[in-house]
Amino acid sequence: MSVTYRRAGTGWIRRLDPALDRLVSPGAHIEKIASGFLFTEGPVWSRPGRCLYFSDIPGNALLKWTPDGKVTTVRKPVFPGSYTPGFGIGPNGHTLDQEGRLISCEHGNRRLARTERDGSITVLADRYEGRRLNSPNDVVVKGNGDIYFTDPPYGLPGHDASPHKELPFNGVFRLTPAGRLDLLASNLRRPNGLAFSADERKFYVANSEHARRLWMVYDVRADGTVADGRIFFDANKHPARGVPDGMKLDVRGSLYCTGPGGVLVLSPGGRHLGTIVTPELPANCHWGDEDGRTLYITARTGLYRIRLQVPGIRP
């Protein structure tokens, strides 16, 4: 394998396979567009609003970036209670439903919530079989309106050892439009980012466990449940720091996964083509702009973007 590094604006492109050039052009560069946050996460582009929503988790804030370069606060605090400063109590992942409404994972509130057009908040799910959720982390909406989300314990002090933890597992859930909450998987210790393939026949889930750094793939059954979970990409031997976190797919089936060393670009067959290396370790990403070819990246204290060759799958 011939590995090359290219300076790309504020970061680097690590090229492992010539096929990367069809996705990340040799002239692509990484741009830092905002800074000064505590830990950014959950980017989602709103086409009607022409803006990027994202979270500052320790900052307990839902924020909005607009193409004029301005960052404004949409909600703060998201979690209204008292907490230790710097702890990850705020919102995390976001997506949009079929009506363009914002769906949010809220750590401290331990719930999945929707922001209505008038700004009011509707709680979509906060309990499974009578027990409180851990701290919903990332979320995606299927074409039929089903909402899929992960529920690791990152928002609980002590994580699995927290006395406030009510569920004996960290799950992957599906919420139907009728309001039924189904447990799809409970065998991952740290389920995190998730995404569907373009035809919605495959479902990908990141496992952020340090001892088991994996991206999993499942087959999607006709009833929306998942089966035959298997390893899609194993990052345990990757020398860089970081764990599998958020991910997005382009329309051709390639994956863009935040994890060890940056944003790993994986082929539909699970081959590592290269890495988009941001100055700070990234946590999540999302497609934006009118044509969907700009990948926006949340990375610790900053917000970054890079123009790519192929448009992405987005709400």
Side-chain angles (χ1 to χ4, degrees):
M1 180 185 295
S2 176
V3 181
T4 62
Y5 286 85
R6 176 180 66 82
R7 185 75 187 182
T10 62
W12 298 82
I13 303 299
R14 182 173 181 254
R15 181 178 179 265
L16 305 176
D17 190 302
L20 181 70
D21 294 344
R22 295 194 291 270
L23 305 175
V24 184
S25 74
H29 69 278
I30 301 163
E31 179 187 3
K32 188 172 188 176
I33 58 173
S35 62
F37 313 105
L38 297 177
F39 192 109
T40 57
E41 248 284 11
V44 63
W45 181 267
S46 170
R47 278 179 273 186
R50 292 199 71 244
C51 66
L52 186 82
Y53 292 106
F54 66 102
S55 300
D56 187 342
I57 302 178
N60 199 7
L62 168 62
L63 306 169
K64 179 175 71 174
W65 178 91
T66 48
D68 59 6
K70 294 181 180 178
V71 175
T72 56
T73 300
V74 179
R75 286 176 63 201
K76 182 175 182 173
V78 173
F79 173 69
S82 61
Y83 64 99
T84 302
F87 185 68
I89 207 72
N92 195 327
H94 306 280
T95 192
L96 303 175
D97 69 6
Q98 294 168 313
E99 296 182 31
R101 295 173 297 186
L102 191 67
I103 307 293
S104 302
C105 295
E106 298 181 1
H107 271 191
N109 293 324
R110 301 172 70 174
R111 69 188 188 187
L112 188 72
R114 182 178 66 221
T115 302
E116 307 296 348
R117 299 197 184 282
D118 63 1
S120 63
I121 305 299
T122 298
V123 177
L124 300 178
D126 61 0
R127 282 172 171 80
Y128 175 70
E129 295 185 343
R131 298 181 178 183
R132 293 202 69 186
L133 298 174
N134 299 318
S135 53
N137 188 284
D138 209 350
V139 59
V140 65
V141 176
K142 196 167 177 281
N144 67 346
D146 286 351
I147 303 173
Y148 292 66
F149 67 95
T150 52
D151 187 41
Y154 290 128
L156 299 175
H159 297 172
D160 286 327
S162 172
H164 304 293
K165 193 176 194 298
E166 298 182 17
L167 294 174
F169 54 81
N170 302 313
V172 181
F173 291 95
R174 186 265 302 265
L175 179 67
T176 69
R180 188 182 73 246
L181 187 61
D182 299 324
L183 177 64
L184 302 181
S186 60
N187 61 342
L188 298 176
R189 286 181 55 82
R190 293 293 183 269
N192 200 317
L194 70 174
F196 283 101
S197 59
D199 60 9
E200 297 187 336
R201 297 174 64 181
K202 291 183 178 180
F203 179 60
Y204 300 89
V205 180
N207 184 54
S208 296
E209 184 183 1
H210 285 276
R212 197 165 178 258
R213 303 189 296 174
L214 304 171
W215 281 273
M216 302 291 293
V217 62
Y218 300 80
D219 296 327
V220 182
R221 295 189 179 115
D223 64 358
T225 59
V226 300
D228 191 24
R230 55 204 181 272
I231 296 173
F232 177 74
F233 186 80
D234 187 336
N236 285 302
K237 294 183 180 179
H238 200 293
R241 66 187 180 94
V243 295
D245 205 328
M247 76 178 93
K248 297 297 182 289
L249 276 74
D250 68 24
V251 297
R252 295 180 185 172
S254 299
L255 287 81
Y256 302 75
C257 305
T258 60
V263 181
L264 283 68
V265 182
L266 308 178
S267 75
R271 190 169 78 255
H272 187 189
L273 305 180
T275 302
I276 300 167
V277 184
T278 47
E280 304 172 85
L281 196 63
N284 214 329
C285 57
H286 196 270
W287 304 99
D289 295 352
E290 295 301 318
D291 60 2
R293 293 176 186 263
T294 301
L295 191 68
Y296 286 85
I297 303 167
T298 51
R300 299 306 188 262
T301 67
L303 185 63
Y304 300 82
R305 68 180 175 186
I306 181 172
R307 288 284 294 174
L308 299 177
Q309 302 271 65
V310 179
I313 301 171
R314 55 181 179 167

